[in-house]
Every structure is written in C-alpha cells, then in structure tokens.
Amino acid sequence: MPSYTAPTKDMQFVLHDVLKVSDSDIPGYADLDRDFTAAILEEAGKISSEVLHPLNTVGDVEGCRLENGVVYPPTGFKDAFEKMKEGGWPGLDMPEEFGGQALPYLVSTAVGEMFSASNQAFTMYQGLTHGAASAILAHGSDDQKQTYLPKMVACEWTGTMNLTEPHCGTDLGMMRTKAEPQADGSYKISGQKIFISAGDHNMADNIIHLVLAKIVGGPEGIKGVSLFIVPKVLVNADGSLGERNGVSVGKLEEKMGIHGNATCVMNYDGATGYLLGEEHKGMRAMFTMMNEARLGVGMQGLAQADAAYQNAVIYAKDRLQGRAVTGAENPSGPADPIIVHPDIRRSLMDQKSFTEGARAFAFWGATLIDQAHRAGDKAADGLISLLTPVIKGFLTDQGYDMTVQAQQVYGGHGYIEEWGMSQYTRDARIAMIYEGANGVQALDLVGRKLAQDGGKHVMAFFELVKSFCKENAGDDETYVRDFIEPLKKASKDLQAAGMYFMQNGMKNPNNALAGSYDFMHMFGHVCLGLMWARMGKAALAALAEGTSDPEFYKAKVLTGRYYMARRLPATALHLSRIETGAETVMGLDADLF
C-alpha cells in the first residue's frame, strides 16, 4: 500500500524563503507569516494523510455505481466529504459574505496540492464546485449569488461544468444543446453532455450544473453559446429545495483512472435553467471556470508526480539488488539498495527536481492570480494568462512522465496492482486531456497568448528573466555558473523560437503551429529554470546565514544544479525541432497515414 506525507516543509520554503509572501504588498499577504501558514498546511497535511489517502486505493478499486438514477461514490467518501465541509476547506479563498474564509488563492493552491496528491478523484468533487462557484461569483446576478454561493462555498451543494457533447469537444461551436426562452425569464435546456466529472452523487443536497447551450434563434457557431445555471433540484424563492429538475444521469463512464470520481453522461430533458451572464457570451463566463480549472489541473500533474516519487524513494532505499559498481555499500547484507545505482539516482533526481521546481512554479502562478485579483494588477493578469497553458500543459505532461519513472523504479512490482503505483500513472493520465488537451494548450499559447496585447506579456516575461540574471550576475561565481548561465542560455533559446515564429509564421501559420508543442515545453523548462535559480539563491543565502537545517538547504542546491545541468538543456532540442518548420510535419498526404 503506498503512503503519502504532505511536503509542508518544502511548501514553507517556497512560500517564505523564495516568494517571501509575508513581505509582499498583495492585500492579505501580510497575514501569511510562517506560523500562520504552518498551522494551515500542517492541518491540511494531516487530513490528506489520515483521511483522504487511505481512501485513494478504495476509490480506485471500488469506483462509483449508478443505481435507480443515483450515483453512489466509493465507501468512505461521504464521511470524508463531511469532514472536509466541517473544516471549511472548500471555501478557503472564497468571500466571507458567502461563508468563505477570504484567504489568498495561494493558500488554496498549496492545500489543493496536498488534497490532490492524497486522493485526486475525491478532491475533484470540491474542486469543480469551487470553479462553478467562481463563475457565479464573477458573472452572476446578486440574486444568483445569494441563492447559490453560500451553499456551494460550504459544499452543501456541489457544482459541475458541462461543455463536451458526443460530437464536439474542443470545437464547442458545434454543440447542439439548446435553450428555449420561457415567459418567466427562465429557459428550457435540452441536450446531452458527456465526460461530466462529479456529475451526480449523494454527498450533497443539490448539484448546480453550469451548462453551455445555444439559445434558439441565436447566432451560429461559438458566438451563439450561452451559459446556464441548471440545478439538479429546483430552488424555491425562500431558498428551500423544491421539485427535481429535468436532469438525469445516462450512464457512468468507465475510465482508465480517477475511478472514485463520478464521470457522467448527463441528459437534459427540458430542464429549467437560468442564464448566467449575458446572452451569447457563455464562453466568457465559462472561461472563468476553465482558467481556474487549468491551473488546478496543472497542479494535479505535480501532485501525482510527488506522491509517486515519495513511494519510489522508499522502495529504492529498501529494495536490495546488486552491488554498487564502486564497492559494496551494504556489506552486511546480500545486496545493496537500488538507490546506489546511477540510473535509479538519475530517475529519482528527474522526479525530485521536477516536483520541487513545479511546486514553486505553481505557487508563483498563484501569487500572480492574487496580484491580479486582489490588487487589480493588469500586468500580473496578462502574465498569468500567458503562463496558464504552460502550467497546465507542461506540468501535466511532465507529471505523467514522472509517475511512469516512479513506477519504473519498482521494476516488475510497479506493474502489479498490489503495490499501488499504477494508480498514480492512470490518475495522472487524464490531466493531459481534460480542461483542454495539451495540444490545444500549445496552440493557445502560440496562436493567441504570444501576440496578446501586442506581445507585451511575453516580452515582460523575457525582461523578468533578463533582470533576474543581471541582478545576480555578480553573485558567487559557482552560483552564476550553475544557475544563472544555464538560465540565460535557455531563455535565449526561447526567444529564438519566438523570433522564428514571427519571421515564418505569417507566411505559413503551420510553421508556428507545428512547433507549438515544443514551444510549450521549452517555455515550461525556462519557467522551472527560473524557479530553480530563485530557489538556489534562497538556499545558498540560508546556508550563508548559518541555518539550523543545513542538509535541507544543501539538498536544494544540489537538486537545482541537477535540473539546470540535466533537464534545462532540453530547450536546445526543442528549438532545433521548431526551426525545422512545418514541412516534415505536414508533408505526408493524409491518405498515406
């Protein structure tokens, strides 16, 4: 049975040594001192290890079941959900007026990583509710907010997002679900949606579905899409629950992973719905949820990688096989632990350097969201908009790869369900697909985000990296060699790729789009390189000041050096691919595949 220990010490390092959150001028950050964040993280870590993680395998083995139109989650999920509600965890960063605790999004991100690492399928129930509530908060009328948000923030009612239909996923303009206006201002919603996570269950009194549909007689394509609130149970004027709405579960999907989450086919048969936001502006409202979800999904990639890595380390230290080539390191035993072997070390260092770098990247992204929302900083909003597809695409691709590497450490045992490692790989796999498949994230990054607002956000990113390198060019010679110089080189590769797109993409857009996936990964590596340069600087400063925990900070420096030397040079490979253009990608006629 796998184990999970919340990485609270590493989180504290990122929050306070690297990001220095309590010194920030972002509203609410002054309260985030070490003792305060430690109390929250330790409690969340305890729930993760003691309540959620023991149910992770249960959810994987049992899955959900549909009986008489009601979905029942795995054994223990309902009790655990009650504990989450009692602790107020679902509303950590939601407004106090609706029952939340109004903490920064950064705190919610850190807690969310632990919850996802310990039980991703379970955490999705409250995560989707948070996204739906955020959309209502941003686009709902005062009456809608008062009606739905207090219950959703408390997770007495949960929420979903309904986009995909059997014939349309990415191209939502093709959707057929329709909305017919009624005399009382409501709409009748009819159609079918698929892949609806947390679509039905018995853990809440009501489920508030946010459904994309086309108002009859509206514009064709994506311009005719609107967003509607469609409750499972209708809500009376006094807030009490009324009649069951025309919403039903067609079936439960059988999936590769996240078995503990109810992924449903949802049927809407003249269900009563209420317009959220403006007519035909549904995508604008839905993207409030989608952007939040994409950051959360990126964090899922990191979370599964970290949980898998923790177990791979335990196994590598315990499993005896062979002898170290430099001489026995366990002479009293029949063999040495496999962690002595260079290839196992390489794999573990890949995993460790990714998870710790990715955590810093995700937390930094969360500070940009707080800076944008709490301080009204448009530059921060533009930068996180640019980085969102990178966080989602890069962290989930790499996170999945790291779960595979962790599984590989186990050898044959990694392939046997008894050891539990395959679940991390299977659960991580969906993160590369949902909330916009990673190829779409890459297209969004190159096709839209680079040129957004005249390209000023990507230029701001380059300037940020350049300034950091310049400010630290006179630091310790070893630090400059190990961290600053690799970061400068990788950033130049990224800029060269952007320049290639500018020079060749106008003549043939395929030249840019054929390189978009490589560009997304190149961008991700540069972001993690920047994070490791910042973490390396913080760790060296702590060592110079005579920290009481030198081994922790030495490990940080060594792990960062590994990333900069062994992982970051991938930018050169990605650049080489990008500069070949579209000819080799698009040259083969479709009939020849």
Side-chain angles (χ1 to χ4, degrees), residues 50-108:
E50 298 176 5
V51 177
L52 301 187
H53 187 262
L55 296 175
N56 199 37
T57 302
V58 174
D60 187 51
V61 173
E62 280 190 23
C64 301
R65 69 184 195 278
L66 175 61
E67 294 180 1
N68 300 318
V70 178
V71 175
Y72 295 90
T75 302
F77 271 44
K78 191 170 184 178
D79 288 341
F81 204 64
E82 288 302 315
K83 291 180 181 178
M84 296 297 289
K85 291 191 282 188
E86 289 168 9
W89 296 105
L92 269 185
D93 63 328
M94 297 301 282
E96 288 180 299
E97 65 180 298
F98 301 116
Q101 299 178 49
L103 290 172
Y105 180 72
L106 173 61
V107 177
S108 179

Side-chain angles (χ1 to χ4, degrees), residues 14 19 109 295 302 354-368 384 386-392 394-395 461 520 523-532 535:
V14 175
L19 298 176
T109 298
L295 292 165
L302 147 66
F354 166 74
T355 56
E356 293 178 13
R359 178 173 298 118
F361 185 24
F363 284 17
W364 177 48
T367 67
L368 292 174
I384 192 58
L386 171 72
L387 295 177
T388 292
V390 183
I391 292 172
K392 195 281 183 185
F394 182 72
L395 296 194
F461 176 81
M520 179 180 73
F523 210 141
H525 277 299
V526 173
C527 288
L528 260 64
L530 175 62
M531 294 301 103
W532 270 117
M535 288 191 286

